[in-house]
Amino acid sequence: MPRGCATMRLMGRDKSKYDLIVIGAGPSGMMAAGRAADLGARVLILEKKKRYGKKLLLTGGGRCNITNAEFDVRAFLEHFPESKQFLYSTFSKFSAKDTFTFFEKKGLPLVVEGRKRAFPETQNAEDVLRVMREYINKNGVEVKTGVRVASLEAKDGKVMSVKTSKDAEYFADNFAIATGGLAAPETGSTGDGFNMLEKLGHTIVPPTPNIVPLTTDESWVHNLSGLTLSFMTIRFIQKGKAKVKKTGKILFTHFGVSGPLILNAAREVVKLLEKGKVTASIDMFPDTQENELDRRILNLFDKNKNKLVRNVLPGVLHEALSEVVLKFPYINLFDREVNSVTKEERKRLVKKIKNLTFEITGTLGFDKAVITDGGVPPEEVNFKNMSSKIYPNLYLLGDILNTNRPSGGFSLQLCWTTGWVAGTDAGTHLETKSPSGIMEQI
Ligand SMILES: Cc1cc2nc3c(=O)[nH]c(=O)nc-3n(C[C@H](O)[C@H](O)[C@H](O)COP(=O)(O)OP(=O)(O)OC[C@H]3O[C@@H](n4cnc5c(N)ncnc54)[C@H](O)[C@@H]3O)c2cc1C
């Protein structure tokens, strides 16, 4: 829309009323606000924190895994197992490819790394925040920081205004709730949106931490802190049955285990923990049968009969892990010479290497979670424009939605997509939704 046209519209508007009020200046809120304003809407962002974009700066370890370069929408949505059927039309309007174009046009080209993860070429999340800030500023979005929205006031199936914790009231034709979930609450996302929506009659699927490290009390795990092992298989076992199985890289930490494999298994493990005890079992040689591994170790032992087992085993197993395994009480081979090891003891060692178990005690919680599992169920959202099915003038964006997805740039893409689609809708229907339409018809 030509700028002059947008100005004409503004002239006819009730100055105290906005076309769109966005609650929360995270990625989804900024995208919605910038897009609507670019189309000529009068937009206000209300942000609780004094400085906004805090979580965005943490993303991708400060490098911002901005999207996933899977450009086929259906293939992209395979990563949203429970909501893909709802999201197709939304993502067709603004896909990962559009994210590439959006940021490239604003002078921030993206580069692709393993698992199709895309990052800004500058490898700096600050640049992503800068681009988004420029996008809202350039389009004239008004931003009030340090303002916590306390409630949404609704009448006859329509949201009329928002009230702040200091009792100020702001009016608009449309509202967008972009307050995030509960992950990394120090960044501002403390679940306010869930509470406000629940009061309005929306269902909120109880939030639990997702994409989150797992904890254990086993000290040998803690002692391996910093060790990363590739091509391991981990099984999560409940009542003797392997319920979840993943293969990839595991990172040992001073509290338990982490790394993409663990983070992406966390949701299922959390659900198992709700039902009872969960034991993790690591197979360090997932592609090697027990008898084959036994043969390899026997070979190694045959060549090093007079050496200490602890000096020989690192020939097949990482040194730090060898030490841990050999010191287990029921293995107890750390101080033994190879020639003293019996066949039974060797077999026990092989079994241990293929089944290294420890009990999972929980997760690091919302403080260390990347996203929240839970929130507004897809059934209550009109995905054509991201509006609430209960309040058609209320958009629901980003982490507020109950949309399970893995790490790899999928969460931010959900924000860019939902923000863009809502912003487009709010900015496109100004004539019918705002009093300014009268002016424009004249
Ligand atoms: C450590 C970490 C790393 C991550 N890395 C990646 C990554 O590399 N790639 C990826 O795709 N995803 C990543 N994520 C996930 C991603 O950051 C989130 O999915 C995304 O930020 C969600 O955006 P949002 O707009 O929904 O909400 P948020 O970013 O959570 O923003 C919500 C905003 O709303 C404000 N707010 C809350 N309540 C109120 C209120 N009552 N009134 C006014 N304002 C309010 C908050 O202060 C905040 O500014 C990461 C998350 C974390 C925690």
Side-chain angles (χ1 to χ4, degrees):
M1 162 175 314
R3 292 255 132 226
C5 194
T7 317
M8 275 283 280
R9 281 193 190 169
L10 284 172
M11 283 165 60
R13 274 187 221 157
D14 176 356
K15 289 249 169 43
S16 63
K17 200 175 183 190
Y18 294 88
D19 294 311
L20 174 67
I21 290 179
V22 178
I23 310 162
S28 66
M30 285 189 276
M31 182 58 107
R35 173 66 176 157
D38 198 11
L39 293 171
R42 186 174 171 226
V43 183
L44 170 68
I45 297 183
L46 297 173
E47 164 57 48
K48 173 162 83 174
K49 290 278 187 187
K50 284 248 158 23
R51 297 189 64 187
Y52 58 89
K54 284 189 166 214
K55 195 181 285 177
L56 192 51
L57 294 179
L58 296 180
T59 56
R63 295 196 299 131
C64 187
N65 179 189
I66 195 166
T67 185
N68 191 282
E70 174 53 76
F71 295 151
D72 180 272
V73 173
R74 281 198 201 284
F76 187 97
L77 290 177
E78 283 306 311
H79 298 275
F80 292 69
E82 289 112 33
S83 48
K84 59 184 173 192
Q85 70 274 29
F86 300 100
L87 293 170
Y88 185 76
S89 70
T90 327
F91 276 75
S92 300
K93 289 181 183 127
F94 195 87
S95 65
K97 182 87 190 115
D98 296 311
T99 300
F100 268 70
T101 310
F102 178 88
F103 284 99
E104 266 165 23
K105 274 192 177 162
K106 290 171 174 49
L108 192 65
L110 309 184
V111 290
V112 181
E113 296 187 8
R115 295 190 289 125
K116 297 193 180 178
R117 289 166 307 141
F119 296 83
E121 199 177 65
T122 59
Q123 301 286 315
N124 194 344
E126 300 257 6
D127 291 319
V128 180
L129 179 57
R130 176 181 48 77
V131 165
M132 293 313 291
R133 204 185 279 134
E134 283 167 9
Y135 186 50
I136 56 179
N137 289 343
K138 186 189 95 190
N139 289 310
V141 173
E142 200 180 326
V143 185
K144 289 187 194 288
T145 57
V147 177
R148 186 173 78 79
V149 172
S151 65
L152 294 161
E153 304 298 319
K155 200 177 149 198
D156 301 331
K158 219 178 155 206
V159 178
M160 309 302 286
S161 67
V162 293
K163 280 192 178 154
T164 73
S165 56
K166 299 222 166 106
D167 242 3
E169 191 165 12
Y170 294 92
F171 297 85
D173 291 318
N174 300 289
F175 297 82
I177 193 140
T179 46
L182 275 159
E186 79 281 3
T187 63
S189 49
T190 51
D192 295 4
F194 294 153
N195 298 335
M196 289 189 267
L197 288 169
E198 207 161 29
K199 277 191 192 133
L200 282 186
H202 263 288
T203 311
I204 300 296
V205 176
T208 51
N210 194 4
I211 314 188
V212 63
L214 300 175
T215 56
T216 179
D217 287 340
E218 307 263 7
S219 55
W220 66 262
V221 174
H222 305 170
N223 292 341
L224 289 173
S225 177
L227 177 68
T228 302
L229 295 172
S230 301
F231 308 115
M232 307 285 109
T233 289
I234 188 162
R235 292 180 175 79
F236 294 96
I237 298 164
Q238 190 160 60
K239 291 187 181 147
K241 278 196 183 143
K243 300 281 188 177
V244 181
K245 180 185 164 198
K246 303 263 177 195
T247 299
K249 213 186 265 183
I250 297 170
L251 167 68
F252 291 88
T253 69
H254 62 281
F255 50 78
V257 280
S258 190
L261 178 80
I262 299 295
L263 297 177
N264 291 322
R267 179 175 182 259
E268 290 165 273
V269 177
V270 167
K271 290 202 186 305
L272 289 177
L273 282 167
E274 283 164 9
K275 292 187 222 153
K277 191 172 146 178
V278 177
T279 304
S281 159
I282 297 179
D283 180 351
M284 285 177 268
F285 289 87
D287 292 336
T288 310
Q289 297 293 321
E290 238 173 73
N291 52 3
E292 168 58 21
L293 182 61
D294 187 37
R295 252 197 309 276
R296 276 170 70 181
I297 291 178
L298 184 60
N299 243 331
L300 195 70
F301 281 8
D302 278 346
K303 288 182 193 143
N304 297 280
K305 283 193 172 104
N306 297 321
K307 291 188 181 163
L308 288 169
V309 179
R310 66 170 182 258
N311 294 332
V312 174
L313 196 61
V316 289
L317 192 65
H318 188 281
E319 197 173 346
L321 259 176
S322 295
E323 185 176 332
V324 162
V325 172
L326 293 173
K327 280 183 175 169
F328 277 129
Y330 37 91
I331 301 290
N332 207 10
L333 293 174
F334 189 72
D335 290 320
R336 296 266 299 278
E337 279 192 3
V338 167
N339 57 31
S340 74
V341 178
T342 65
K343 188 177 169 189
E344 282 67 41
E345 285 174 322
R346 200 187 64 237
K347 297 247 179 220
R348 219 170 335 163
L349 173 66
V350 168
K351 277 198 188 310
K352 195 73 219 160
I353 293 173
K354 285 194 63 72
N355 180 26
L356 199 53
T357 56
F358 55 96
E359 195 182 327
I360 300 292
T361 49
T363 74
L364 282 190
F366 285 115
D367 282 355
K368 299 290 172 199
V370 169
I371 58 168
T372 303
D373 195 37
V376 180
E379 291 78 10
E380 295 183 9
V381 182
N382 175 0
F383 283 94
K384 285 204 177 86
N385 61 2
M386 291 316 303
S387 67
S388 150
K389 280 189 180 164
I390 309 177
Y391 300 92
N393 72 332
L394 175 65
Y395 301 105
L396 305 163
L397 312 179
D399 277 5
I400 205 85
L401 303 160
N402 183 26
T403 320
N404 176 39
R405 67 273 177 190
S407 64
F410 299 101
S411 295
L412 282 176
Q413 185 57 51
L414 179 72
C415 293
W416 310 134
T417 295
T418 53
W420 178 272
V421 169
T424 303
D425 191 71
T428 308
H429 298 114
L430 294 174
E431 290 85 352
T432 52
K433 286 181 175 176
S434 107
S436 64
I438 302 163
M439 179 72 181
E440 207 163 56
Q441 281 159 26
I442 296 166

